[in-house]
């Protein structure tokens, strides 16, 4: 794992609480995902602190770190990947929708899908112009027409955010 990934993971583990983990497991379900029991505030703080410790993250660094955090089926790590993308949405490109699509397919809980769609995909698409926007709109349209319920949901939430802007 990268130094930034280790930093975030260690912070999330340190902030974890087994009571909060049990409550989240009961509320969110998903036998294939683990929980550290870190609060949303702790997740946001870990990403904020990582940004201070590693201030010069490029597009490639941000997308690689998001994938690294997402790779382990731990809710707080995946939420940290979402927060990282939210915090760096200005660096993202049309081509990053492929990575985000994979995240949505694997997320399978609205607590991850909705912020990805509303706070990452929506602003990303809204900021695109010309051919890049057309390509992004085609991707979001494909999500809407597909058979994956989470992609359909993400499409609906993202489109609502694009219209709001």
């Amino acid at each position: 794992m990268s130094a930034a990934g280790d930093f975030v993971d260690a912070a999330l583990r340190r902030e974890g609480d087994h009571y909060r983990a049990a409550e989240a497991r009961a509320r969110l379900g998903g036998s294939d995902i683990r929980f550290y029991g870190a609060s949303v505030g702790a997740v946001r703080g870990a990403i904020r602190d990582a940004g201070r410790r590693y201030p010069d993250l490029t597009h490639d660094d941000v997308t690689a770190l998001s994938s690294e955090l997402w790779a382990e089926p731990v809710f707080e790590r995946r939420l940290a990947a979402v927060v990282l993308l939210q915090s760096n949405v200005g660096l993202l490109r049309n081509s990053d929708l492929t990575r985000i699509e994979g995240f949505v397919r694997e997320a399978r809980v609205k607590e991850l899908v909705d912020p990805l769609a509303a706070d990452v995909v929506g602003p990303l698409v809204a900021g695109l112009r010309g051919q890049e926007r057309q390509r992004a709109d085609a991707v979001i349209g494909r999500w809407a027409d597909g058979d994956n319920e989470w992609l359909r949901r993400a499409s609906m939430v993202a489109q609502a955010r694009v219209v709001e802007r």
Side-chain angles (χ1 to χ4, degrees), residues 5-162:
D6 282 337
F7 177 83
V8 172
D9 187 69
L12 297 176
R13 286 176 187 267
R14 194 171 42 254
E15 293 294 327
D17 174 276
H18 70 278
Y19 293 111
R20 202 170 20 245
E23 183 276 326
R25 189 176 307 105
R27 183 172 45 87
L28 300 176
S31 61
D32 60 337
I33 195 163
R34 298 186 320 270
F35 297 87
Y36 289 162
S39 69
V40 172
V43 172
R44 291 189 181 288
I47 293 301
R48 181 197 62 234
D49 293 346
R52 289 179 180 155
R53 181 172 275 214
Y54 305 98
D56 299 320
L57 294 178
T58 65
H59 166 267
D60 291 349
D61 296 329
V62 167
T63 55
L65 180 55
S66 70
S67 290
E68 183 179 337
L69 291 168
W70 194 275
E72 290 293 321
V74 176
F75 178 80
E76 292 84 356
R77 284 176 57 114
R78 290 183 171 184
L79 185 58
V82 173
V83 172
L84 177 67
L85 294 174
Q86 289 170 331
S87 302
N88 292 281
V89 74
L91 293 177
L92 300 180
R93 304 175 186 146
N94 177 44
S95 59
D96 295 318
L97 288 172
T98 302
R99 178 184 318 269
I100 295 167
E101 179 176 339
F103 290 174
V104 170
R105 285 181 183 278
E106 292 180 356
R108 295 188 300 267
V109 292
K110 67 182 174 84
E111 290 78 2
L112 294 172
V113 172
D114 289 358
L116 269 171
D119 302 328
V120 179
V121 177
L124 169 60
V125 173
L128 298 173
R129 301 287 175 259
Q131 189 174 19
E132 287 187 344
R133 174 62 183 263
Q134 291 173 345
R135 288 180 181 155
D137 287 340
V139 169
I140 303 305
R142 180 177 50 78
W143 292 1
D145 295 335
D147 60 354
N148 183 291
E149 69 179 291
W150 296 108
L151 286 175
R152 287 194 310 271
R153 180 183 181 97
S155 172
M156 182 179 63
V157 171
Q159 287 176 359
R161 284 304 294 258
V162 171

